[in-house]
Amino acid sequence: MAELKPGTTVDLISGGQIKVVKELGRGGQGIVYLSEFQGHQYALKWYTQQYPDTFYNNLKHNIEQGSPSKGNEFLWPLMLTKRQYDSFGYVMQLRPQGFSEFGDFLMAKAKFASISAMITAALQICQGFYFLHLKGYSYQDLNDGNFFINPQTGDVLICDNDNVTAQGQNTGILGKARYMAPEIVAGGKPDKYSDYFSLAIILFLLFYGNHPLEGKKVLSCPCMDEVNDRKFYGSEALFILDKDNKENLPVRGVHTNVITRWPLFTKNLQDAFIEALSQDLIKNSTKRIIESRWEKVITSMRNLLVVCKNCGNETFADIEKQTACINCGKPVTVDYQIKTTNYGNIVLSPKKNVFLGKSKQPVAAVRINKADPSVWALQNLSTTTWMVETPSGKLKPVGQNEIMPTKPGLKITFSQGEKGEIV
Amino acid sequence: MGILDSAPVPRRTMVLFFIVDTSGSMDGTKIGSVNAAIREVTPMLDEISSNNADAEIKIAVLQFSSGCEWMYDEPKSASEFRWIDMEADGLTDLGAAYQELSSKLSRNAFLNEATGSFAPVLILLSDGEPTDDYQRPLEKLKENKWYKAAIKIAIAIGSDANRDVLKEFTNSSEAVIEVHNVEALKKLIRTVSVTASQIGSQSSAAGVKDKQTQVTESITKEVEQIDGASSSAAPAIGSSSDDDWD
Ligand SMILES: Nc1ncnc2c1ncn2[C@@H]1O[C@H](COP(=O)(O)OP(=O)(O)OP(=O)(O)O)[C@@H](O)[C@H]1O
Ligand SMILES: [Zn+2]
């Protein structure tokens, strides 16, 4: 196997040499080494499998194009090595501390610190897909190894970007059947529509903790060989909570997470998955739910996320479905909301961080008076001054970190002209 | 239980079978290397298993000489598996091993996981000729669905091993690897177990080569790097066929 020993130097096509320091980990395709270039530390992914020139050239192309986003959502390939020592590799940034692989969440080795962090992660995954598609790329090999997530904050890093190609292209590297759209399992070429299917799978796993196509029907298949893979993830793919067909329901004692969590999240999230994984959308790829719609669904859910006044845990003020706390069962009351022009109604609660739409940064936070918890205030967490109009027509500025009362009738102008009224 | 305290996702199980010839001719460094190599590879299999959200890896070991015997009476998860050193003595009752394997490759025996299984990996190691009637048990084995779906690799230890017999087991000469010294045997056991487990324990790659082909190709490539190992797809170049065992 073409392994590299510590101290080995490898030539980069852009000039210079990178030096191997030590192994960080290995996977099915290769080994990742801590390495050094011009006094800085990087990760070097070194392939131990053979890859065709199309793969190498695609990687080179992706490096030349640069990361699809200016932010740091992607661990994008930065430099490519020459073909050397019977193989080659690419250089990327080291993963920062505090991130866990998505697979660790699935195996309950990592857990989200809050529902809010989980929602942030979902939004960032959507965002990453969006940037990628915007640049005309699609995934070839999307699976649980593609995401690192910070369980405290929900920040996401998208890795393994060597398998990203221009849409409609095919490097011959295809993902795990469990994560792929049925038409790809059947042998088709990946494109953004097949990515939308994978996105629904990933989001479902993230929120509900079980695979959306693995229920009773799949469980009853004793031997999952390739023929069955093609059946259950391809020609006969069936959502475990399909509206009409109950053949693949989750099984008690096995699919525990989804059985517990399905009723706990909001109705709009349920509806979105029932649609995204309906037979219609499984079979008609162009109808699939795109990132911006997922973002809308998830942000509306975040609007309803509140802290229970009784038990102090996060719950949803989901008027459509339930008014009881998902933790203690006590009624959840809606005291105040901000009715925004573009982002719906945001329910307020003690300690609530207020986000406008899919924004990563909260614009405000609810603070409560220690002596009298019935007295609430809204703190401006944005970097701009809000203009607040009182019911009698007066205008009052609320600067950064300043507070204002949560009094119905107050109209806030946030930055970029977005308006919200406390009701 | 709420949203945040989640249970691990149900994983399928992939059983890795070692079917080891412990006849008298394996005595000495051959059996010693097998003992050492499988013992050393177990923690690596455990790591692959614990980082894999698709499937858990379990290990089962069948040794055959005069008759055959399982190391444990059920497959053990890689984290719990403890290798017990094998001793070599007696005949080469491959037929008995095939018969035993047929009976355990069943949902009512070794493959009875509640969350289902992936197709198993079968690794057969032998250094000689079968001494019993292996043909009929093999025919029966070939009707077994699990056997049919399995990833199969055979390791021929030394030039006395009957490669044709091993080929009948794997169905392909590319999946029969020969080794001619102790170091090569150790390396090969490691390579074959790791590669086959890695590929065998993942949801299959959509639309591409089947798992057996992926494993065979990957192992063939590694065999080229191991002195004293060869296969029909990676013939040894210029090496003498003289075995170098002691
Ligand atoms: N940028 C990085 N910084 C630090 N560690 C990394 C980095 N990228 C990968 N690793 C580690 O290296 C190991 C192998 O990497 P990776 O999973 O990408 O390999 P792979 O061959 O693509 O695996 P897979 O079988 O999932 O496709 C992982 O354990 C991962 O934690
Ligand atoms: Zn409560």
Side-chain angles (χ1 to χ4, degrees), chain A residues 263-275:
Chain A
L264 302 186
F265 283 102
T266 54
K267 172 89 166 45
N268 77 327
L269 190 69
Q270 292 181 343
D271 291 343
F273 281 112
I274 291 173
E275 183 187 337

mmCIF file with all atom_site columns, all heavy atoms in Angstrom, chain A residues 263-275:
data_model
loop_
_atom_site.group_PDB
_atom_site.id
_atom_site.type_symbol
_atom_site.label_atom_id
_atom_site.label_alt_id
_atom_site.label_comp_id
_atom_site.label_asym_id
_atom_site.label_entity_id
_atom_site.label_seq_id
_atom_site.pdbx_PDB_ins_code
_atom_site.Cartn_x
_atom_site.Cartn_y
_atom_site.Cartn_z
_atom_site.occupancy
_atom_site.B_iso_or_equiv
_atom_site.pdbx_formal_charge
_atom_site.auth_seq_id
_atom_site.auth_comp_id
_atom_site.auth_asym_id
_atom_site.auth_atom_id
_atom_site.pdbx_PDB_model_num
ATOM 1   N N   . PRO A 1 263 ? -43.094 12.803 16.710 1.00 0.00 ? 263 PRO A N   1
ATOM 2   C CA  . PRO A 1 263 ? -44.139 13.715 17.192 1.00 0.00 ? 263 PRO A CA  1
ATOM 3   C C   . PRO A 1 263 ? -43.592 14.970 17.878 1.00 0.00 ? 263 PRO A C   1
ATOM 4   O O   . PRO A 1 263 ? -44.361 15.895 18.118 1.00 0.00 ? 263 PRO A O   1
ATOM 5   C CB  . PRO A 1 263 ? -44.927 12.870 18.202 1.00 0.00 ? 263 PRO A CB  1
ATOM 6   C CG  . PRO A 1 263 ? -44.113 11.665 18.472 1.00 0.00 ? 263 PRO A CG  1
ATOM 7   C CD  . PRO A 1 263 ? -43.017 11.568 17.484 1.00 0.00 ? 263 PRO A CD  1
ATOM 8   N N   . LEU A 1 264 ? -42.310 14.997 18.195 1.00 0.00 ? 264 LEU A N   1
ATOM 9   C CA  . LEU A 1 264 ? -41.789 16.120 18.986 1.00 0.00 ? 264 LEU A CA  1
ATOM 10  C C   . LEU A 1 264 ? -41.454 17.350 18.146 1.00 0.00 ? 264 LEU A C   1
ATOM 11  O O   . LEU A 1 264 ? -41.609 18.478 18.603 1.00 0.00 ? 264 LEU A O   1
ATOM 12  C CB  . LEU A 1 264 ? -40.548 15.695 19.779 1.00 0.00 ? 264 LEU A CB  1
ATOM 13  C CG  . LEU A 1 264 ? -40.750 14.514 20.749 1.00 0.00 ? 264 LEU A CG  1
ATOM 14  C CD1 . LEU A 1 264 ? -39.491 14.292 21.582 1.00 0.00 ? 264 LEU A CD1 1
ATOM 15  C CD2 . LEU A 1 264 ? -41.943 14.767 21.669 1.00 0.00 ? 264 LEU A CD2 1
ATOM 16  N N   . PHE A 1 265 ? -40.975 17.130 16.924 1.00 0.00 ? 265 PHE A N   1
ATOM 17  C CA  . PHE A 1 265 ? -40.676 18.289 16.081 1.00 0.00 ? 265 PHE A CA  1
ATOM 18  C C   . PHE A 1 265 ? -41.979 18.853 15.513 1.00 0.00 ? 265 PHE A C   1
ATOM 19  O O   . PHE A 1 265 ? -43.031 18.223 15.592 1.00 0.00 ? 265 PHE A O   1
ATOM 20  C CB  . PHE A 1 265 ? -39.739 17.890 14.943 1.00 0.00 ? 265 PHE A CB  1
ATOM 21  C CG  . PHE A 1 265 ? -38.312 17.729 15.376 1.00 0.00 ? 265 PHE A CG  1
ATOM 22  C CD1 . PHE A 1 265 ? -37.770 16.472 15.588 1.00 0.00 ? 265 PHE A CD1 1
ATOM 23  C CD2 . PHE A 1 265 ? -37.492 18.835 15.586 1.00 0.00 ? 265 PHE A CD2 1
ATOM 24  C CE1 . PHE A 1 265 ? -36.455 16.313 15.982 1.00 0.00 ? 265 PHE A CE1 1
ATOM 25  C CE2 . PHE A 1 265 ? -36.176 18.695 15.985 1.00 0.00 ? 265 PHE A CE2 1
ATOM 26  C CZ  . PHE A 1 265 ? -35.654 17.427 16.184 1.00 0.00 ? 265 PHE A CZ  1
ATOM 27  N N   . THR A 1 266 ? -41.859 20.014 14.899 1.00 0.00 ? 266 THR A N   1
ATOM 28  C CA  . THR A 1 266 ? -43.059 20.722 14.461 1.00 0.00 ? 266 THR A CA  1
ATOM 29  C C   . THR A 1 266 ? -43.757 20.046 13.281 1.00 0.00 ? 266 THR A C   1
ATOM 30  O O   . THR A 1 266 ? -43.149 19.273 12.538 1.00 0.00 ? 266 THR A O   1
ATOM 31  C CB  . THR A 1 266 ? -42.702 22.151 14.031 1.00 0.00 ? 266 THR A CB  1
ATOM 32  O OG1 . THR A 1 266 ? -41.665 22.059 13.050 1.00 0.00 ? 266 THR A OG1 1
ATOM 33  C CG2 . THR A 1 266 ? -42.196 22.972 15.201 1.00 0.00 ? 266 THR A CG2 1
ATOM 34  N N   . LYS A 1 267 ? -45.010 20.383 13.121 1.00 0.00 ? 267 LYS A N   1
ATOM 35  C CA  . LYS A 1 267 ? -45.838 19.844 12.042 1.00 0.00 ? 267 LYS A CA  1
ATOM 36  C C   . LYS A 1 267 ? -45.265 20.207 10.677 1.00 0.00 ? 267 LYS A C   1
ATOM 37  O O   . LYS A 1 267 ? -45.266 19.389 9.757  1.00 0.00 ? 267 LYS A O   1
ATOM 38  C CB  . LYS A 1 267 ? -47.251 20.417 12.205 1.00 0.00 ? 267 LYS A CB  1
ATOM 39  C CG  . LYS A 1 267 ? -48.227 20.149 11.089 1.00 0.00 ? 267 LYS A CG  1
ATOM 40  C CD  . LYS A 1 267 ? -48.966 18.846 11.320 1.00 0.00 ? 267 LYS A CD  1
ATOM 41  C CE  . LYS A 1 267 ? -50.193 18.675 10.432 1.00 0.00 ? 267 LYS A CE  1
ATOM 42  N NZ  . LYS A 1 267 ? -50.039 19.011 9.033  1.00 0.00 ? 267 LYS A NZ  1
ATOM 43  N N   . ASN A 1 268 ? -44.752 21.426 10.555 1.00 0.00 ? 268 ASN A N   1
ATOM 44  C CA  . ASN A 1 268 ? -44.263 21.824 9.225  1.00 0.00 ? 268 ASN A CA  1
ATOM 45  C C   . ASN A 1 268 ? -43.058 20.993 8.800  1.00 0.00 ? 268 ASN A C   1
ATOM 46  O O   . ASN A 1 268 ? -42.868 20.723 7.622  1.00 0.00 ? 268 ASN A O   1
ATOM 47  C CB  . ASN A 1 268 ? -43.978 23.328 9.158  1.00 0.00 ? 268 ASN A CB  1
ATOM 48  C CG  . ASN A 1 268 ? -42.681 23.718 9.836  1.00 0.00 ? 268 ASN A CG  1
ATOM 49  O OD1 . ASN A 1 268 ? -42.284 23.113 10.828 1.00 0.00 ? 268 ASN A OD1 1
ATOM 50  N ND2 . ASN A 1 268 ? -41.997 24.719 9.306  1.00 0.00 ? 268 ASN A ND2 1
ATOM 51  N N   . LEU A 1 269 ? -42.263 20.529 9.773  1.00 0.00 ? 269 LEU A N   1
ATOM 52  C CA  . LEU A 1 269 ? -41.117 19.675 9.436  1.00 0.00 ? 269 LEU A CA  1
ATOM 53  C C   . LEU A 1 269 ? -41.625 18.294 8.997  1.00 0.00 ? 269 LEU A C   1
ATOM 54  O O   . LEU A 1 269 ? -41.163 17.742 7.996  1.00 0.00 ? 269 LEU A O   1
ATOM 55  C CB  . LEU A 1 269 ? -40.168 19.543 10.634 1.00 0.00 ? 269 LEU A CB  1
ATOM 56  C CG  . LEU A 1 269 ? -38.824 18.878 10.310 1.00 0.00 ? 269 LEU A CG  1
ATOM 57  C CD1 . LEU A 1 269 ? -37.954 19.769 9.429  1.00 0.00 ? 269 LEU A CD1 1
ATOM 58  C CD2 . LEU A 1 269 ? -38.051 18.504 11.569 1.00 0.00 ? 269 LEU A CD2 1
ATOM 59  N N   . GLN A 1 270 ? -42.590 17.775 9.729  1.00 0.00 ? 270 GLN A N   1
ATOM 60  C CA  . GLN A 1 270 ? -43.198 16.489 9.335  1.00 0.00 ? 270 GLN A CA  1
ATOM 61  C C   . GLN A 1 270 ? -43.719 16.562 7.903  1.00 0.00 ? 270 GLN A C   1
ATOM 62  O O   . GLN A 1 270 ? -43.436 15.691 7.079  1.00 0.00 ? 270 GLN A O   1
ATOM 63  C CB  . GLN A 1 270 ? -44.390 16.158 10.242 1.00 0.00 ? 270 GLN A CB  1
ATOM 64  C CG  . GLN A 1 270 ? -44.040 15.841 11.675 1.00 0.00 ? 270 GLN A CG  1
ATOM 65  C CD  . GLN A 1 270 ? -45.295 15.507 12.491 1.00 0.00 ? 270 GLN A CD  1
ATOM 66  O OE1 . GLN A 1 270 ? -46.421 15.803 12.094 1.00 0.00 ? 270 GLN A OE1 1
ATOM 67  N NE2 . GLN A 1 270 ? -45.097 14.886 13.641 1.00 0.00 ? 270 GLN A NE2 1
ATOM 68  N N   . ASP A 1 271 ? -44.484 17.631 7.631  1.00 0.00 ? 271 ASP A N   1
ATOM 69  C CA  . ASP A 1 271 ? -45.083 17.779 6.309  1.00 0.00 ? 271 ASP A CA  1
ATOM 70  C C   . ASP A 1 271 ? -44.021 17.827 5.210  1.00 0.00 ? 271 ASP A C   1
ATOM 71  O O   . ASP A 1 271 ? -44.188 17.241 4.145  1.00 0.00 ? 271 ASP A O   1
ATOM 72  C CB  . ASP A 1 271 ? -45.930 19.060 6.237  1.00 0.00 ? 271 ASP A CB  1
ATOM 73  C CG  . ASP A 1 271 ? -47.186 18.949 7.099  1.00 0.00 ? 271 ASP A CG  1
ATOM 74  O OD1 . ASP A 1 271 ? -47.539 17.807 7.468  1.00 0.00 ? 271 ASP A OD1 1
ATOM 75  O OD2 . ASP A 1 271 ? -47.789 19.990 7.403  1.00 0.00 ? 271 ASP A OD2 1
ATOM 76  N N   . ALA A 1 272 ? -42.927 18.537 5.508  1.00 0.00 ? 272 ALA A N   1
ATOM 77  C CA  . ALA A 1 272 ? -41.874 18.673 4.503  1.00 0.00 ? 272 ALA A CA  1
ATOM 78  C C   . ALA A 1 272 ? -41.256 17.308 4.177  1.00 0.00 ? 272 ALA A C   1
ATOM 79  O O   . ALA A 1 272 ? -41.010 16.992 3.006  1.00 0.00 ? 272 ALA A O   1
ATOM 80  C CB  . ALA A 1 272 ? -40.798 19.640 4.990  1.00 0.00 ? 272 ALA A CB  1
ATOM 81  N N   . PHE A 1 273 ? -41.019 16.482 5.193  1.00 0.00 ? 273 PHE A N   1
ATOM 82  C CA  . PHE A 1 273 ? -40.437 15.166 4.924  1.00 0.00 ? 273 PHE A CA  1
ATOM 83  C C   . PHE A 1 273 ? -41.442 14.237 4.233  1.00 0.00 ? 273 PHE A C   1
ATOM 84  O O   . PHE A 1 273 ? -41.063 13.467 3.357  1.00 0.00 ? 273 PHE A O   1
ATOM 85  C CB  . PHE A 1 273 ? -39.902 14.525 6.205  1.00 0.00 ? 273 PHE A CB  1
ATOM 86  C CG  . PHE A 1 273 ? -38.559 15.064 6.612  1.00 0.00 ? 273 PHE A CG  1
ATOM 87  C CD1 . PHE A 1 273 ? -38.399 15.832 7.755  1.00 0.00 ? 273 PHE A CD1 1
ATOM 88  C CD2 . PHE A 1 273 ? -37.434 14.820 5.816  1.00 0.00 ? 273 PHE A CD2 1
ATOM 89  C CE1 . PHE A 1 273 ? -37.158 16.342 8.110  1.00 0.00 ? 273 PHE A CE1 1
ATOM 90  C CE2 . PHE A 1 273 ? -36.185 15.321 6.168  1.00 0.00 ? 273 PHE A CE2 1
ATOM 91  C CZ  . PHE A 1 273 ? -36.046 16.088 7.324  1.00 0.00 ? 273 PHE A CZ  1
ATOM 92  N N   . ILE A 1 274 ? -42.702 14.331 4.634  1.00 0.00 ? 274 ILE A N   1
ATOM 93  C CA  . ILE A 1 274 ? -43.713 13.482 3.985  1.00 0.00 ? 274 ILE A CA  1
ATOM 94  C C   . ILE A 1 274 ? -43.768 13.810 2.494  1.00 0.00 ? 274 ILE A C   1
ATOM 95  O O   . ILE A 1 274 ? -43.884 12.923 1.655  1.00 0.00 ? 274 ILE A O   1
ATOM 96  C CB  . ILE A 1 274 ? -45.099 13.664 4.658  1.00 0.00 ? 274 ILE A CB  1
ATOM 97  C CG1 . ILE A 1 274 ? -45.061 13.051 6.069  1.00 0.00 ? 274 ILE A CG1 1
ATOM 98  C CG2 . ILE A 1 274 ? -46.207 13.033 3.822  1.00 0.00 ? 274 ILE A CG2 1
ATOM 99  C CD1 . ILE A 1 274 ? -46.293 13.310 6.909  1.00 0.00 ? 274 ILE A CD1 1
ATOM 100 N N   . GLU A 1 275 ? -43.585 15.093 2.196  1.00 0.00 ? 275 GLU A N   1
ATOM 101 C CA  . GLU A 1 275 ? -43.577 15.474 0.783  1.00 0.00 ? 275 GLU A CA  1
ATOM 102 C C   . GLU A 1 275 ? -42.259 15.076 0.103  1.00 0.00 ? 275 GLU A C   1
ATOM 103 O O   . GLU A 1 275 ? -42.253 14.459 -0.960 1.00 0.00 ? 275 GLU A O   1
ATOM 104 C CB  . GLU A 1 275 ? -43.791 16.989 0.655  1.00 0.00 ? 275 GLU A CB  1
ATOM 105 C CG  . GLU A 1 275 ? -43.876 17.425 -0.797 1.00 0.00 ? 275 GLU A CG  1
ATOM 106 C CD  . GLU A 1 275 ? -43.905 18.940 -0.945 1.00 0.00 ? 275 GLU A CD  1
ATOM 107 O OE1 . GLU A 1 275 ? -44.298 19.643 0.012  1.00 0.00 ? 275 GLU A OE1 1
ATOM 108 O OE2 . GLU A 1 275 ? -43.529 19.412 -2.036 1.00 0.00 ? 275 GLU A OE2 1
#
